[in-house]
Amino acid sequence: CLRGKAGWGENMALVTTVANAFGARWFDEQWQPEFNGPEWTRAATFYVDLLSKYGPPGASSNGFNENLALFNTGKCAMWVDATVAGSFVTDASQSKVADKVGFTFAPQEDTDKGSAWLYSWALAIPSTSKKQDAAKAFTTWATSRDYAKLVAETDGVANVPPGTRESTYSAEYMAAAPFAKVTLESLKQADPASPSAKPVPYVGIQLVTIPEFQAIGTQVGKMFSAALTGQMPVEQMLTAVQQSTTREMKRAGYPK
C-alpha cells in the first residue's frame, strides 16, 4: 500500500523517497532538473511497476486514510508511510492485524541516503487572523508536554505524537510503542542536507524547501499518477516532467 494519490502531499513524498534510494535527485548543483537521468528512470519504473503489479485496486486515488483502512483490514502486506500511523496499526481496537505488524527502515537500492521517511507538519497563523493570540496559545499547548501527558493519560502513551520532541522518547514510551526504536534511529540518521548519493543545492528529504516546490511537486505528482494509471509510459512521463519543471525553475530564476 504505497502512496499513489495525485498531488505533492500524497504521492510525491514516497516517490522522492524511492528516488533518493536509487541515487536520484530533484535538481543538480546548478538547480537543473534531473528527471532525464538514469536514476529517475530506474526509480520511476520501479515505483510504477510495483504499484501496478502488487498495489491495491485504485492505487492512484489512495491517500493516507484509504491505505490505513486497507492495512488495518489485512489487505495490505506492506505500507510505507509516516510513523504517526504506527499507533493506529498496532491498536487492536481498530486494526485486525495489530499482532502481526512489524516496523523497519525504508527500503534502499543504490544508497542509504534519503530513504528515511522524513516529512514535517507545520503550524502557522495567517497574518489576517483576528484571533492570533488565541491561535498562538492553542498551538503552544498542542505541541506542549502538557498535551503529550494528556494524550498519554487519555489514549495511552503509544499514541503520543511521535515527532514533537526528543523528550517523548522516554523509557516508558520506548517500551509501549513498538515503532519507537526504528523512529528514533531514523531521525538520528536522516540528513535533510544530503538526501541523495550526489550533492544537492537544496535541503529536504521528501520535499525541496523552496517556495515554488508546492506547485512543482503537485504538477509532477499528477504526471506520476498518469503513468501509474497507464495514461502514458514512464519515459514519456519523465520527459514531460523534465520540461515542465525546467520551465518553472527558469521562470523562478533558479538555474545557474
Side-chain angles (χ1 to χ4, degrees), residues 152-177:
E153 293 174 348
T154 304
D155 301 314
V157 67
N159 289 291
V160 172
T164 307
R165 60 182 52 79
E166 187 177 6
S167 62
T168 297
Y169 294 84
S170 62
E172 181 184 10
Y173 181 78
M174 297 294 286

Side-chain angles (χ1 to χ4, degrees), residues 2-3 12 24 30 43 61 63 67 70 78 82 100 103 112 115 123 129 133 135 155 163 169 182 192 196 212 247 251:
L2 307 177
R3 292 243 187 148
M12 291 313 297
Q30 284 71 48
S61 299
N67 285 335
L70 287 168
M78 180 185 292
K100 301 179 179 65
F103 299 89
D112 60 356
S115 62
L123 300 175
S129 173
D133 290 341
D155 301 314
Y169 294 84
V182 171
S196 191
E212 295 78 10
R247 182 172 58 252
R251 184 179 300 170

